[in-house]
Amino acid sequence: EGEDPLAQMDAQVKKRRTLDAIKRILLRESLNQPLMVMFEDLHWIDEQTQEFLNLLADSIANAKVLLLVNYRPEEYSHQWGSKTYYTQLRLDPLGRESADEMLSALVGDSPAFASLKRMIIDRTEGNPLFMEEIVRALLEDGALVRNGAMHLTKPIAELKVPPTVQGVLASRIDRLHADAKDLLQTLSVIGREFPMTLVRAVVPKPSEDLERMLNDLQLGEFIYEQPAVGDTEYIFKHALTQEVAYNSVLQEGRKLMNEQIGAAIERLYADRLEDHIASLARHYSRSGNPAKAVEYSVRACQQSSERASFTETVGHFETGLARLQELPDDAHRAELELDLRNAAQFALWTIKGYGSAENETLALRTLELSRRPGVSWLNSWMALSGLYVTALMRSRHRQACELATQMLAIAENSSNADYTGESINCLAHAQMFDGSDLELAGESYERAIALFETTTPSSAGPRWRRDLMHSQAYAFSAWNDCIRGFSDRAVERTDQALALARASDSKAVAEAIHNYAVEVFSIRRDVERTRQHAVATIDLSTEIDNPFRRARGEFWLSWADSFALDREECLARMQRALADLRATGALTSSSLWLSLIAQIQCSLGQYNNASASIDEALSVVEETGERVFESEVFRTKGELLLAISTSDQAEAERAFCTAIGIARSQKARLWELRATTSLARLLRDTGRRDEARAMLAQIYNWFTEGFDTADLKDAKALLEELNN
């Protein structure tokens, strides 16, 4: 209390929080009025700011935001060219007149400088930075002197000007005194920004000498001092200056400097090392110390994963894996590799696709490492969980059930409540998607919830993971309850899951729970709440770069929009979202999505396309065994047959009866109500009103809640009609 919290934050933490706040403000304010945002000199930005910028670019498609950036094509690249809302404008160099005007401001407008100006303009082709650096180089070389007015001391033909701006900067750096040049090179290895405390720890110079040298570098406009809390900080004037200085250091020298800088950070911040893990990982990864590089890569993976910075996590994982190969192939290396893979597991699922072949390969390697003698139970459990996720996302639910059962046995044998709860959760997911017995899945969810509610968190894993599993148990239980016909309880469970997600203060948890809330409210046909949670899912999945959940959010937002906006456009968006989902290697829920696509195609009169979508949905059910949505697929098929031709009434009736039979066997009362309502309409239209009334009344009277939902309202209205 009483301390400025910013003083306790690492620069990267401050930056991350600031960028997150900027994004939230931009997207919120753009709802009220148009905004313009500008980023300059993109080539110097660090990985974290780059990640933020990409996420921002992805998230403003429908916002009233103009994002304006400038960069040099040879120094920076992006992947925005395919976006329909991206336009590139080429900024040409200064024209001769403007370049002449700029040089007049730098050297004066004396006619004696006409030849010099022409030479500089021709050499630089109007690049302002290049022109400025040439003038500064000529001043430092003594070819230009300022004695009242500026004048040349050498003929133009004798002036030695490098052909590139990098060359000019290199020549300026070479002309520095040896101590100043060494200092500048050391600073370039530290980074674009560097605090004075760290400089003192790395550069063995008396304070007075060091401050004088830093002042000289400022006068030479190599670096600038910038405001900071609690310490003096400096920044390179331009990323090119840092780059040229860095490249002037021999590779072996850079390795040695990076290791020295890493060691200095460890000494200086020993009491709050967690605030500097990313910097330590960066420096040691570039050092000659692979053991330290891997150690800090593991810790950086853990830290960035906890912050839901999954792209950053994967970067640390890949760096650590590369440096791991330099270590002796022994038990210690295998242990480090296992730690690295487990630390990055959640991020790898997210970034590379939950159902991707690459993730399955990664999981198999982790399982191989976990089966070595002496490896802890948790490593084996984590390896199985990786394979489980791939199986679940590929809709291989029998295999997922087997893997979850193995996970449960390991967790129970180790008496760990958190991982026991997560294992039961996983088993329940697989049971629900398998669709053979939704009541059994519901019982598993109740066991998981009870375990999370009655036990204290374990220290075996990160707290956010337990929060995710705890809230997921409520969220998936709600999904299962909704299909079983307990709609009000489903909403209550969803609200409990959302409350837990808010309390966790984790983006990964919030993203997952908003995604599951979408499923519940879409099943209830609550369009507005579906839209609300779909938008939240898209925002969060874009922020943490989760293509799987972003596709799901886009699909459900498009479905919700189809009730009010152009249906053909919404249909195209839904189809793109399905393609994006499949690109992640996932098949889960695709039979439901295809049936919803078929419904919209049918409403647009695209009967052939709708039939193809239903056929594909049925094929997916048979190929994957994901039967939880099978009843809905057959019901949609029946509605499509009636829409195409009234002569297909018998076949439509068979489709409805099949849907009812499947739903009853699964105890999926909501699906049964929908299919029975569809069949009752058909029976009404073919003069079998008594039969229609009896069967619809039987399923309607089963329900004890959810009477405000669209399905029960439709059924009630039809019953009243049949009773008259």
Side-chain angles (χ1 to χ4, degrees), residues 471 493-505 513:
S471 53
R493 285 278 167 95
T494 300
D495 289 340
Q496 287 173 299
L498 289 165
L500 287 169
R502 284 192 294 271
S504 76
D505 195 28
I513 303 309

Side-chain angles (χ1 to χ4, degrees), residues 484-594:
R484 290 170 59 205
F486 302 107
S487 183
D488 292 345
R489 187 167 71 187
V491 173
E492 183 182 339
R493 285 278 167 95
T494 300
D495 289 340
Q496 287 173 299
L498 289 165
L500 287 169
R502 284 192 294 271
S504 76
D505 195 28
S506 165
K507 292 176 190 173
V509 176
E511 179 226 29
I513 303 309
H514 279 295
N515 171 66
Y516 304 140
V518 169
E519 310 290 350
V520 170
F521 290 110
S522 64
I523 291 171
R524 282 173 52 92
R525 292 163 60 191
D526 185 336
V527 174
E528 286 311 309
R529 290 199 71 177
T530 299
R531 178 181 287 107
Q532 172 192 338
H533 291 292
V535 169
T537 300
I538 292 167
D539 286 348
L540 287 163
S541 61
T542 298
E543 195 168 344
I544 66 178
D545 199 15
N546 186 334
F548 170 75
R549 292 217 176 96
R550 184 162 59 236
R552 294 181 76 90
E554 292 285 1
F555 182 90
W556 288 116
L557 179 60
S558 304
W559 175 80
D561 285 346
S562 71
F563 291 90
L565 302 179
D566 183 278
R567 301 207 96 192
E568 286 198 29
E569 180 187 344
C570 293
L571 172 62
R573 286 164 53 195
M574 291 166 71
Q575 290 170 321
R576 284 198 299 272
L578 177 57
D580 290 343
L581 178 83
R582 288 173 165 173
T584 70
L587 290 173
T588 180
S589 301
S590 57
S591 61
L592 175 65
W593 286 21
L594 285 162

Side-chain angles (χ1 to χ4, degrees), residues 21 46 70 85 88 106 130 137 165 193 231 411 434 444 504 540 542 551 579 589 645 673:
D46 59 23
N70 67 55
Y85 50 92
Q88 179 169 297
L106 292 173
F130 198 176
V165 66
E193 302 177 19
D231 196 0
D434 176 66
S444 295
S504 76
L540 287 163
T542 298
S589 301
S645 172
L673 176 70

Side-chain angles (χ1 to χ4, degrees), residues 144-339:
L144 267 177
V145 295
R146 191 188 303 275
N147 187 11
M150 196 85 76
H151 65 274
L152 272 171
T153 63
K154 297 179 181 179
I156 297 291
E158 295 180 15
L159 298 180
K160 296 180 180 179
V161 180
T164 65
V165 66
Q166 289 90 340
V168 174
L169 286 166
S171 67
R172 289 191 59 214
I173 291 170
D174 284 341
R175 280 196 295 271
L176 289 171
H177 187 274
D179 285 350
K181 181 178 178 180
D182 289 345
L183 174 59
L184 189 67
Q185 289 174 327
T186 301
L187 299 178
S188 73
V189 177
I190 294 175
R192 187 158 191 258
E193 302 177 19
F194 39 91
M196 187 64 178
T197 303
L198 182 56
V199 176
R200 285 197 182 101
V202 173
V203 181
K205 295 279 185 186
S207 291
E208 289 184 3
D209 291 348
L210 187 56
E211 288 174 6
R212 174 183 51 77
M213 293 164 65
L214 288 168
N215 187 58
D216 289 344
L217 291 176
Q218 286 191 83
L219 291 174
E221 295 196 29
F222 291 102
I223 62 173
Y224 292 144
E225 185 177 338
Q226 62 178 5
V229 178
D231 196 0
T232 302
E233 283 190 4
Y234 295 89
I235 183 171
F236 275 89
K237 173 191 174 183
H238 198 284
L240 276 179
T241 309
Q242 182 201 359
E243 179 185 318
V244 172
Y246 184 84
N247 289 336
S248 68
V249 185
L250 295 176
Q251 187 173 7
E252 287 304 312
R254 288 202 297 262
K255 285 184 178 180
L256 181 60
M257 285 184 190
N258 274 302
E259 186 160 359
Q260 291 171 342
I261 293 164
I265 293 173
E266 288 177 313
R267 290 194 308 273
L268 285 172
Y269 308 111
D271 58 336
R272 49 192 179 99
L273 209 57
E274 290 301 310
D275 294 342
H276 300 271
I277 294 299
S279 294
L280 286 163
R282 175 168 59 88
H283 286 297
Y284 277 119
S285 71
R286 299 173 180 179
S287 76
N289 190 334
K292 283 274 192 179
V294 177
E295 174 193 340
Y296 281 110
S297 290
V298 171
R299 296 178 67 176
C301 282
Q302 293 167 339
Q303 188 179 79
S304 56
S305 190
E306 287 172 7
R307 295 171 177 171
S309 298
F310 296 135
T311 302
E312 184 181 336
T313 305
V314 172
H316 289 305
F317 168 76
E318 291 173 347
T319 299
L321 204 59
R323 295 305 307 271
L324 189 77
Q325 311 312 312
E326 301 172 36
L327 296 174
D329 189 4
D330 55 17
H332 179 60
R333 171 172 145 176
E335 183 180 351
L336 282 173
E337 182 180 351
L338 191 54
D339 289 343

